[in-house]
Amino acid sequence: ERLARFLTPAADTSVLVIKDEKTVWQSAPFNWLCEPVGCGSFSVESDRATLAVKLTDILQRKLQHLFSSGSMCEYRRWMASMASLFRGATSRAQSRLKACARSTLRRCTAIQQQS
C-alpha cells in the first residue's frame, strides 16, 4: 500500500502507518526501498505474484506520467530503482516488469516523436 501511494502522480505522498491501536508513525518517503513488497510475509503465497502484477501496472502508469510531463530525472530514478522495488518477487513478475519497462519506453518515445 505504501509503495502504491508513492507511485501515484500526487505531490503529497506522506503516509501514516498504523501498526496497532497504540502504534502509529509517519512512513519515511523512501522506506519501501528497504522493505520491498516481494520480501514481505504473505499468508497466501500466490498473493506475492498477484501484487507484483498490480504494482507493475501502477509503475507503468507512473513512468508514462513522468515521461509525458517531462520529468526525466524522476523518470530515470524510478527506472533505476525497479530492481529494488521488486526484490523478492517471483521471476515471472520480474520478467513482466522488464517487459513493462521496455513497453513504457517505446510508448513514451512514440508520444514524444508525435509532439
Side-chain angles (χ1 to χ4, degrees):
E1 187 177 337
R2 285 184 284 165
L3 178 56
R5 175 75 176 137
F6 290 117
L7 287 172
T8 66
D12 178 19
T13 57
S14 59
V15 174
L16 290 178
V17 178
I18 301 172
K19 184 175 180 179
D20 56 43
E21 63 186 37
K22 296 181 181 181
T23 311
V24 178
W25 72 87
Q26 184 171 0
S27 178
F30 296 101
N31 192 33
W32 45 264
L33 281 171
C34 301
E35 299 173 356
V37 174
C39 293
S41 298
F42 289 84
S43 55
V44 177
E45 187 57 35
S46 62
D47 287 349
R48 185 182 313 272
T50 301
L51 188 56
V53 168
K54 298 293 184 193
L55 288 174
T56 301
D57 294 341
I58 294 169
L59 178 60
Q60 186 170 17
R61 285 193 298 273
K62 174 77 169 187
L63 291 170
Q64 288 171 335
H65 168 76
L66 292 172
F67 193 95
S68 63
S69 67
S71 303
M72 296 312 293
C73 288
E74 183 128 357
Y75 172 85
R76 286 187 202 86
R77 182 174 59 82
W78 281 103
M79 289 291 283
S81 67
M82 281 196 293
S84 294
L85 291 174
F86 288 88
R87 191 172 68 234
T90 63
S91 57
R92 181 173 166 241
Q94 290 177 352
S95 296
R96 189 173 191 277
L97 178 65
K98 290 175 187 173
C100 162
R102 287 190 299 270
S103 170
T104 300
L105 186 57
R106 279 194 301 272
R107 206 170 305 141
C108 292
T109 302
I111 290 169
Q112 187 179 37
Q113 290 173 348
Q114 291 174 356
S115 300

